[in-house]
Amino acid sequence: MERNQKQGGGNEEEESNETLDSSSKLYEAYNELHGLAQEFSMPFDAPAILVVGHQTDGKSALVEALMGFQFNHVGGGTKTRRPITLHMTYNPSCSLPRCCLVSGDGDVEGCGDRRMSLEEIQGYIEAENMRLENEPCQFSEKEIIIRVEYKYCPNLTILDTPGLILPAPGKKNRALQVQARAVEALVRAKMQHKEFIILCLEDCSDWSNATTRRIVMQIDPELSRTVLVSTKLDTKIPQFARSSDVEVFLRPPARILDGCLLGDSPFFTSIPSGRVGSERDSVYSSNEEFKKAISLRELEDIACLEEKLGRLLSKEERSRIGVSSLRLFLEELLQKKYMESVPLIIPLLDKEYRSTTRKLRDINQEICNLDEMKLKEKGRAFHDSFLAKLSLLLKGTVVAPPDKFGETLQDERTNGGMFIGADGQFSQKMMPNAGMRLYGGAQYHRAMAEFRLVVGGVKCPPITREEIVNACGVEDIHDGTNYSRTACVIAVAKARDTFEPFLHQLGYRLLYILKRLLPISIYLLQKDGEHLSGHEVFLKRVEVAFNNFAETTERACRDKCMEDLVCTTRYVTWSLHNKNRAGLRQFLDSFASMDHSSFGGNSSCSAPTQQNSSLGPVNNDTKLDNKKTDTNSCSHTTETRLVDLLDSTLWNRRLAPSSERIVYALVHQIFHGIKEQFLVSTELKFNCFLLMPVVDKLPALLREDLESAFEDDLDSIFDITQLRSSLGQHKRDLEIELKRIDRLKEKFREIHGKLNSNCVHPKNFSALA
């Protein structure tokens, strides 16, 4: 029987050792997974505890208490400027903490990681804080990763984040306000990871005062992955005067803590003050004394609470008091997350293994293709693909995402310039598709439509009497005035000053739109796997060639448009501006009738009066005589009016109202004709001499430039030496990554197999703390 008992005891011990070994492998695998994700930006996260709180809430002190030893600087102000990731592993054989700083650039076996003492860890963290304090951005998202093995360590991965800041308002605190925004952005980015359990610290005696919870609930509104902790319990107990206040504090109402809080209610912790060390101001000589002080503080807190309440705490209430209770809860919670995630991690690792294998195969193929003929063929293939993408963008496509590459009209105006005339900027509300994010041919068409709308709405600038008089001048053979010449002089001068700026604005805007085609085309090439990665010198040459072509073509097109504008503003052709004589005749007749009415109301050219009709019937001879008399009188009046008109417009240099109106109307007529000609000619020339050359001239010019580069120096174009070196380094990195992923796959498969065979059951993990 005794033998059977010994045999049974041996089986239990063997099972315990097997469980301990399996759990250690599980934590080791997850720690390595976290490091791999950080180093190579893997698309998965290992479960971890993310500590979030404001400055002086006791974040770093709580983390040290959970670990069982002190490692960081604590106290007022900012003591953490980089997130610190602590991979803690329970190891009963380590009587002293065994720390290792993960460098992030180690090889497969982790030889790049540095074994460091606690003092060296503290010095490293302090040096990093001082370095960042002197930089413009005083915080960094890059984590300090530390692996720890210790007999008092729980099996946890904890991320300690910089403390949130509540700066005072006002201009004098602007620097602190900038820091506060930087810290909050860093913490919010870490909380976005769905695998992280958020440890939300609150230093308050009133749960309605949600300082840290306010920020946490912006990321986790239901608090479904948040553990709430009230720190510095020993300082809050004396503040309660009545037992009812303590009851509300220990069990806050559901209306105050909305959501599905992890653990259903908050935890309460106290950390004894004092540092471990041999200095004169040190309180504890060893970490064992520090750990005992934490346990003693828990007992004292429970005793004080029971004294305030006048009763004993229940078992459930005791399970929420103290660091040890919080550590046990977090460890069991994280272990559950580990177990649930194991089956999900294996497919992700398989996917990453296939992806890395494919990248490595591509790198090997690129290294094999580093010969002259293959590089030339790759360059020519890129040339053809690049031109195909350009053509596709001009014709129209939805392959490139508009939210990334599209621009609204306001964005386009800001980056490519606005159409601004004498009347100021044109209203965006009148433009169709103004709020749509466009690129390529659609953006080109919208810019041209805006040009037509803006220029088409331009009115002739105001004309002053001084301008008319100055434009009259003196003829070379007489001192009379020629108001038709005056109108032409004024009209062409104002048209030239008005329309020339629009020409330059249109050229700049369309050139900007064409240059935007280059990065969008590169994106499409990358998306289709046709991009020449690693050939920056070659790509830069293509970019320079394309931009030079666009700039030269736009400048030549603008010069052609400028020639047309000079022509239409140098010589006035009446048939161009009036279309036919009817417009001008109708206009002059209107002024003639106005002048006629000003000469007097009783004109001999008027129709027969009512007095004639009242005389009764008359014979034909009388009618004929009356008709002759009226004709002679009308002819005489017309001659008189003509003489008066010439007197006021040719022989008299005094600017009469009628002359001013004639000049004003002629100027408007000529200005309108120039505007119509300018609009039609400019749009046609930009389409023919800027847009079309991208289609029919750019391919030949790019190919000519490419072949010329190939003949000059192929090595300088593709930078073969540098490329071979970078590809070799990339290959080595991928090989390291592949081996690490393969080793992790085997670890997780082994763990998954043991879980399926019930060799390791979740309930067994709780006994390992």
Side-chain angles (χ1 to χ4, degrees):
M1 182 175 178
E2 183 178 352
R3 182 179 179 182
N4 292 336
Q5 288 178 347
K6 289 183 179 179
Q7 183 70 30
N11 292 336
E12 289 177 2
E13 184 179 354
E14 183 179 351
E15 183 178 351
S16 176
N17 291 335
E18 186 178 359
T19 302
L20 179 62
D21 180 64
S22 299
S23 63
S24 299
K25 288 184 178 180
L26 178 65
Y27 302 131
E28 179 186 349
Y30 269 108
N31 290 345
E32 188 173 351
L33 179 67
H34 184 88
L36 190 69
Q38 288 291 317
E39 184 176 348
F40 294 103
S41 301
M42 294 292 186
F44 44 73
D45 295 301
I49 307 296
L50 181 71
V51 186
V52 179
H54 280 77
Q55 280 186 356
T56 69
D57 278 353
K59 284 190 311 79
S60 298
L62 179 60
V63 171
E64 288 181 339
L66 289 171
M67 296 176 63
F69 65 91
Q70 295 179 350
F71 75 101
N72 200 357
H73 287 257
V74 298
T78 302
K79 300 300 181 183
T80 305
R81 296 187 178 274
R82 281 178 62 183
I84 301 175
T85 299
L86 298 162
H87 295 304
M88 298 182 288
T89 304
Y90 168 74
N91 190 341
S93 63
C94 291
S95 57
L96 293 175
R98 183 184 298 168
C99 302
C100 185
L101 181 67
V102 180
S103 62
D105 55 357
D107 59 13
V108 181
E109 302 301 328
C111 295
D113 300 345
R114 289 183 288 166
R115 180 72 62 82
M116 302 177 72
S117 65
L118 285 179
E119 292 76 14
E120 291 173 332
I121 292 286
Q122 289 175 341
Y124 178 81
I125 295 173
E126 185 179 3
E128 281 297 289
N129 289 336
M130 293 180 62
R131 177 184 66 82
L132 290 170
E133 191 174 357
N134 296 323
E135 291 187 358
C137 182
Q138 298 186 349
F139 298 89
S140 172
E141 293 185 2
K142 188 176 181 181
E143 300 172 8
I144 298 175
I145 303 178
I146 303 172
R147 293 195 180 117
V148 181
E149 295 181 38
Y150 190 36
K151 67 178 180 178
Y152 296 126
C153 261
N155 291 301
L156 290 176
T157 295
I158 291 183
L159 277 79
D160 185 18
T161 60
L164 298 165
I165 304 173
L166 283 175
K171 293 183 178 179
K172 64 180 180 180
N173 299 309
R174 186 167 296 171
L176 195 59
Q177 293 165 7
V178 172
Q179 289 187 33
R181 288 193 293 270
V183 173
E184 183 172 338
L186 188 153
V187 173
R188 286 169 64 95
K190 293 295 181 184
M191 288 193 294
Q192 295 286 352
H193 295 270
K194 301 296 183 183
E195 292 297 317
F196 288 172
I197 298 167
I198 303 171
L199 196 65
C200 175
L201 273 55
E202 295 278 17
D203 180 14
C204 63
S205 56
D206 182 5
W207 287 114
S208 60
N209 183 19
T211 52
T212 307
R213 217 160 63 245
R214 174 184 59 84
I215 297 176
V216 170
M217 292 184 71
Q218 295 175 10
I219 307 299
D220 184 22
E222 297 297 324
L223 299 176
S224 59
R225 55 186 181 95
T226 299
V227 178
L228 192 58
V229 180
S230 174
T231 58
K232 304 179 184 179
L233 177 62
D234 54 340
T235 65
K236 296 178 176 59
I237 297 176
Q239 301 176 18
F240 299 114
R242 296 175 299 180
S243 61
S244 59
D245 296 334
V246 182
E247 296 280 3
V248 173
F249 182 62
L250 291 179
R251 291 182 173 273
R255 58 182 174 82
I256 296 179
L257 299 180
D258 294 331
C260 305
L261 188 68
L262 272 180
D264 298 328
S265 63
F267 285 82
F268 304 89
T269 61
S270 297
I271 310 298
S273 60
R275 305 302 294 169
V276 175
S278 57
E279 292 81 4
R280 185 172 57 86
D281 55 349
S282 298
V283 177
Y284 309 108
S285 59
S286 66
N287 286 302
E288 284 77 5
E289 287 189 18
F290 173 63
K291 184 172 175 57
K292 290 178 182 178
I294 294 174
S295 301
L296 182 61
R297 182 72 262 174
E298 291 180 12
L299 297 176
E300 292 175 355
D301 287 343
I302 292 174
C304 290
L305 285 172
E306 290 178 341
E307 182 181 352
K308 283 283 185 180
L309 290 170
R311 64 175 177 82
L312 296 178
L313 293 176
S314 66
K315 183 178 180 180
E316 182 183 356
E317 289 172 335
R318 281 173 171 263
S319 67
R320 304 293 173 183
I321 308 298
V323 175
S324 60
S325 299
L326 176 62
R327 178 169 56 188
L328 181 60
F329 175 81
L330 292 178
E331 191 171 8
E332 291 178 348
L333 185 62
L334 199 59
Q335 288 162 1
K336 182 182 177 182
K337 287 277 188 181
Y338 283 165
M339 307 294 276
E340 292 173 350
S341 300
V342 167
L344 303 177
I345 292 295
I346 296 174
L348 287 176
L349 287 171
D350 284 334
K351 181 180 178 182
E352 283 302 312
Y353 187 86
R354 291 192 300 270
S355 175
T356 306
T357 303
R358 184 173 60 253
K359 291 177 183 177
L360 187 60
R361 185 172 59 249
D362 294 341
I363 289 292
N364 289 327
Q365 186 62 40
E366 282 194 57
I367 294 175
C368 294
N369 290 339
L370 289 181
D371 66 82
E372 184 174 335
M373 294 305 298
K374 290 184 177 180
L375 285 175
K376 287 183 178 181
E377 289 303 318
K378 288 177 66 174
R380 295 184 182 109
F382 177 84
H383 165 271
D384 297 338
S385 301
F386 172 67
L387 293 174
K389 302 304 181 188
L390 277 179
S391 177
L392 182 64
L393 288 172
L394 289 175
K395 292 177 181 179
T397 181
V398 294
V399 179
D403 57 341
K404 183 177 181 180
F405 295 104
E407 285 188 336
T408 64
L409 184 59
Q410 185 58 43
D411 296 333
E412 184 181 321
R413 288 176 172 180
T414 302
N415 300 321
M418 297 178 291
F419 295 119
I420 301 177
D423 299 334
Q425 183 180 348
F426 183 71
S427 175
Q428 182 174 331
K429 295 180 180 179
M430 299 179 63
M431 268 299 300
N433 302 331
M436 294 187 179
R437 292 169 294 189
L438 306 181
Y439 56 79
Q443 189 176 12
Y444 181 95
H445 183 270
R446 184 179 62 185
M448 192 62 77
E450 185 188 9
F451 172 76
R452 288 195 304 267
L453 199 58
V454 172
V455 177
V458 170
K459 294 180 174 55
C460 181
I463 304 167
T464 64
R465 291 173 59 86
E466 289 180 344
E467 288 177 325
I468 297 175
V469 173
N470 280 319
C472 288
V474 177
E475 297 288 342
D476 56 354
I477 198 169
H478 68 91
D479 62 352
T481 55
N482 184 350
Y483 286 114
S484 62
R485 179 189 179 280
T486 299
C488 294
V489 169
I490 296 172
V492 297
K494 289 189 176 294
R496 176 74 174 270
D497 293 341
T498 301
F499 298 126
E500 184 174 355
F502 286 115
L503 186 59
H504 295 283
Q505 292 166 15
L506 178 64
Y508 187 83
R509 174 80 74 87
L510 297 182
L511 177 61
Y512 165 75
I513 293 173
L514 286 182
K515 284 187 174 182
R516 290 191 68 238
L517 297 176
L518 181 66
I520 306 176
S521 300
I522 297 297
Y523 167 80
L524 296 180
L525 290 170
Q526 291 173 338
K527 185 177 181 181
D528 295 342
E530 301 172 349
H531 186 249
L532 288 179
S533 58
H535 299 277
E536 282 74 17
V537 178
F538 175 80
L539 296 175
K540 186 66 178 178
R541 186 178 184 101
V542 173
E543 178 184 356
V544 170
F546 175 77
N547 288 335
N548 288 341
F549 171 80
E551 292 171 2
T552 304
T553 306
E554 184 274 332
R555 187 164 50 250
C557 177
R558 187 159 32 89
D559 289 343
K560 287 182 171 62
C561 294
M562 194 65 200
E563 289 180 1
D564 281 355
L565 181 60
V566 170
C567 291
T568 53
T569 55
R570 184 170 185 179
Y571 189 81
V572 176
T573 303
W574 290 108
S575 60
L576 174 65
H577 301 295
N578 297 297
K579 309 301 181 187
N580 52 51
R581 297 178 180 270
L584 186 60
R585 174 181 289 277
Q586 182 181 2
F587 163 74
L588 293 176
D589 284 346
S590 65
F591 278 101
S593 63
M594 292 174 62
D595 292 337
H596 166 60
S597 62
S598 65
F599 291 149
N602 298 325
S603 174
S604 57
C605 290
S606 301
T609 62
Q610 294 293 333
Q611 293 179 355
N612 292 334
S613 61
S614 65
L615 295 177
V618 293
N619 56 32
N620 293 334
D621 293 337
T622 305
K623 293 180 180 180
L624 185 59
D625 293 338
N626 290 337
K627 187 175 181 179
K628 290 180 179 181
T629 303
D630 292 340
T631 301
N632 293 333
S633 176
C634 184
S635 176
H636 175 71
T637 303
T638 302
E639 293 174 359
T640 303
R641 285 166 49 200
L642 180 60
V643 172
D644 292 338
L645 184 62
L646 291 174
D647 179 58
S648 62
T649 60
L650 182 61
W651 301 327
N652 190 352
R653 294 187 67 86
R654 182 177 61 84
L655 188 60
S658 59
S659 304
E660 185 178 354
R661 289 195 301 272
I662 290 175
V663 172
Y664 184 81
L666 284 174
V667 169
H668 279 70
Q669 188 80 3
I670 299 170
F671 185 89
H672 178 72
I674 294 175
K675 179 175 70 175
E676 290 186 347
Q677 178 68 16
F678 172 73
L679 268 175
V680 174
S681 173
T682 300
E683 182 176 5
L684 182 62
K685 279 187 167 51
F686 269 97
N687 288 336
C688 291
F689 300 111
L690 178 64
L691 182 62
M692 292 308 298
V694 176
V695 178
D696 52 29
K697 289 186 178 180
L698 177 62
L701 291 175
L702 273 184
R703 176 56 69 96
E704 182 181 348
D705 182 78
L706 193 64
E707 296 299 331
S708 174
F710 288 165
E711 294 298 328
D712 292 342
D713 187 2
L714 188 66
D715 184 69
S716 65
I717 298 301
F718 286 100
D719 200 0
I720 299 176
T721 304
Q722 176 63 30
L723 184 59
R724 195 183 300 275
S725 174
S726 63
L727 287 176
Q729 182 60 45
H730 193 191
K731 178 184 177 181
R732 289 189 291 272
D733 293 340
L734 287 175
E735 288 173 345
I736 293 174
E737 181 180 349
L738 195 64
K739 291 179 181 179
R740 292 177 64 178
I741 294 174
D742 188 48
R743 189 173 73 248
L744 268 177
K745 279 172 54 182
E746 294 304 318
K747 283 187 177 182
F748 275 100
R749 282 202 175 98
E750 181 183 354
I751 294 168
H752 188 247
K754 289 186 178 182
L755 288 176
N756 290 337
S757 62
N758 294 323
C759 289
V760 180
H761 195 273
K763 68 179 182 181
N764 294 328
F765 284 93
S766 60
L768 300 177

